[in-house]
Amino acid sequence: MADIHFSYLAFGVLTFLLIFLKLIIRPHPTKIPIKSRHVFITGGSSGIGLALARQVAAEGARVTILARDRNKLEQAKNSIRLSTGIDVNILSVDVCDFQAVKEAVESAGPIDVLVCNQGVFVAQEIVNQDMKEIQGMIDVNLTGTVNLVKAALPGMKNRSDRKPVSITFMSSQAGQVGIYGYAVYLATKFGLRGLAEALQQEVIADNIHVSLIFPPETDTPGLTKAKKMMPRLTSIMAACSSAMQADEVANKALNGIKSGSFFVFCNLEGLLLSIVTAGFSPQRSYFMAFVEVIFSGLVRIGVLCVQWTWYGSIEKLHA
Ligand SMILES: NC(=O)C1=CN([C@@H]2O[C@H](COP(=O)(O)OP(=O)(O)OC[C@H]3O[C@@H](n4cnc5c(N)ncnc54)[C@H](OP(=O)(O)O)[C@@H]3O)[C@@H](O)[C@H]2O)C=CC1
Ligand SMILES: CCCCCCCCCCCCCCCC(=O)[C@@H](N)CO
């Protein structure tokens, strides 16, 4: 008898919670159309950016890709033409040069979806890392992204149609959790989260929607390069989240952008990380908000266990 009453009560409380969350979550849910829109992808000549460029081109978007190396850009353009029959616009620019970024953005025409995906990463203990490498990661990943936002925002705010548009940042699961060997890289990726949270508040009135993508290790030319000198502990920790192909990550990213999700996770570990690091992030899905509220404590126990094994590995390898 008491059992039945208890389950009614639990059901009632959970239903009330769902309805409550549906009423209060902000920003409101949205949908970002892709077809016939201008998608501007930095770092679009390689890896995740190239895979995303191919997918949005196949969905009928007008695509611009930006990177430094003109040869790689030409190759990317040819490979996208071969697989989709569509021509993308290429721009050879260094994101660290604000003036050049501004001119490139103006030459490309009004942007509907800006994907700041360019990034460099070197896995190495900070004590061994030289200042050039450190400064390079901060300049490309963080300052470069600020440059892009600063250059593109005026045009996006003053667009002629008021349809929803997106600014998307390529973070990393290493933008949600500390990983040995990635101290400076993490500083840039955690930095993007702060940028994204404040920016979303500043641009919501313009119907601009911010997304943050959190990929696990992804098979790309960039990762192949980083693996050459990766510390053992970096590999051990990164292997706790299952690796993915660039196409799969691009697909998750595209679905996340279309649904205007603020946090976009890519695999099961990513879902758990997004629950446990939800913090003060905006949430458009009442269902995800519900999942966060109910499960964050439990997942916290899980990640504390993961930290326990990680610190065990650190002790062992440093003994
Ligand atoms: N691969 C992985 O395991 C993961 C990657 N990520 C993130 O995803 C993003 C893409 O990574 P991935 O596909 O592996 O990278 P790649 O190294 O394969 O490609 C990087 C792209 O960025 C461009 N780029 C680099 N520096 C600049 C610059 N200064 N100005 C303009 N473009 C630049 C490169 O072109 P060029 O050199 O010609 O300029 C290239 O197109 C990065 O932000 C990365 O941090 C996140 C999680 C996991
Ligand atoms: C119970 C909860 C379980 C949660 C498990 C969490 C495991 C986190 C692993 C994070 C791996 C991040 C790799 C990103 C690497 C990257 O960004 C690239 N640029 C370079 O590889």
Side-chain angles (χ1 to χ4, degrees):
M1 202 53 190
D3 289 5
I4 295 174
H5 285 147
F6 179 76
S7 48
Y8 276 132
L9 184 67
F11 183 77
V13 168
L14 293 179
T15 309
F16 173 80
L17 179 61
L18 258 179
I19 295 169
F20 172 73
L21 290 171
K22 189 163 163 65
L23 290 174
I24 60 121
I25 49 143
R26 290 293 183 278
H28 292 287
T30 186
K31 288 271 174 275
I32 317 272
I34 294 291
K35 196 171 157 35
S36 307
R37 303 192 89 202
H38 182 203
V39 182
F40 190 105
I41 304 171
T42 65
S45 65
S46 172
I48 298 170
L50 173 57
L52 184 61
R54 182 175 288 122
Q55 288 180 23
V56 292
E59 294 205 1
R62 178 165 83 84
V63 185
T64 301
I65 57 176
L66 177 152
R68 289 164 307 176
D69 186 329
R70 190 167 283 284
N71 285 332
K72 272 201 291 176
L73 283 164
E74 295 282 0
Q75 278 173 27
K77 183 184 170 110
N78 289 334
S79 92
I80 295 173
R81 187 194 295 122
L82 264 177
S83 56
T84 67
I86 290 158
D87 261 320
V88 300
N89 178 26
I90 58 176
L91 294 169
S92 166
V93 173
D94 186 336
V95 291
C96 303
D97 178 349
F98 177 68
Q99 204 49 41
V101 170
K102 196 159 168 273
E103 282 161 24
V105 163
E106 278 158 16
S107 79
I111 298 174
D112 298 306
V113 178
L114 171 66
V115 184
C116 307
N117 160 80
Q118 90 291 339
V120 287
F121 44 93
V122 187
Q124 194 178 32
E125 292 84 356
I126 190 167
V127 69
N128 300 323
Q129 217 154 39
D130 60 54
M131 272 322 285
K132 199 168 146 263
E133 213 124 58
I134 290 176
Q135 197 62 54
M137 279 192 276
I138 298 172
D139 289 347
V140 176
N141 302 0
L142 195 54
T143 314
T145 300
V146 175
N147 287 346
L148 285 161
V149 170
K150 200 52 193 147
L153 204 48
M156 293 180 88
K157 273 166 126 17
N158 295 326
R159 67 194 184 280
S160 45
D161 71 70
R162 302 309 295 165
K163 279 194 220 149
V165 297
S166 165
I167 298 179
T168 294
F169 301 120
M170 194 58 67
S171 181
S172 161
Q173 284 182 3
Q176 300 179 296
V177 48
I179 300 285
Y180 184 103
Y182 275 135
V184 176
Y185 177 67
L186 257 83
T188 68
K189 294 300 187 183
F190 273 68
L192 293 182
R193 174 172 177 169
L195 175 66
E197 289 201 14
L199 182 67
Q200 180 60 90
Q201 297 175 347
E202 292 184 21
V203 299
I204 190 69
D206 300 294
N207 208 7
I208 302 176
H209 306 282
V210 178
S211 292
L212 257 178
I213 322 286
F214 296 112
E217 273 201 330
T218 307
D219 185 13
T220 67
L223 181 64
T224 306
K225 199 171 141 221
K227 286 239 162 168
K228 286 195 179 128
M229 54 171 302
M230 191 174 276
R232 231 353 251 298
L233 284 165
T234 310
S235 309
I236 291 172
M237 294 182 189
C240 292
S241 180
S242 47
M244 290 176 74
Q245 295 301 312
D247 273 328
E248 302 173 277
V249 169
N251 181 256
K252 299 285 180 193
L254 182 52
N255 288 333
I257 293 168
K258 284 183 184 166
S259 64
S261 307
F262 184 76
F263 271 17
V264 180
F265 57 84
C266 300
N267 62 6
L268 175 65
E269 296 81 355
L271 166 64
L272 298 174
L273 286 176
S274 293
I275 293 171
V276 83
T277 65
F280 230 120
S281 61
Q283 181 54 270
R284 300 187 134 95
S285 154
Y286 71 93
F287 181 70
M288 268 306 292
F290 180 77
V291 170
E292 287 164 5
V293 171
I294 301 295
F295 292 107
S296 54
L298 267 179
V299 184
R300 177 71 180 140
I301 298 176
V303 301
L304 287 170
C305 294
V306 172
Q307 283 291 7
W308 172 64
T309 68
W310 284 357
Y311 275 84
S313 304
I314 294 170
E315 279 166 26
K316 210 166 92 201
L317 282 162
H318 282 203

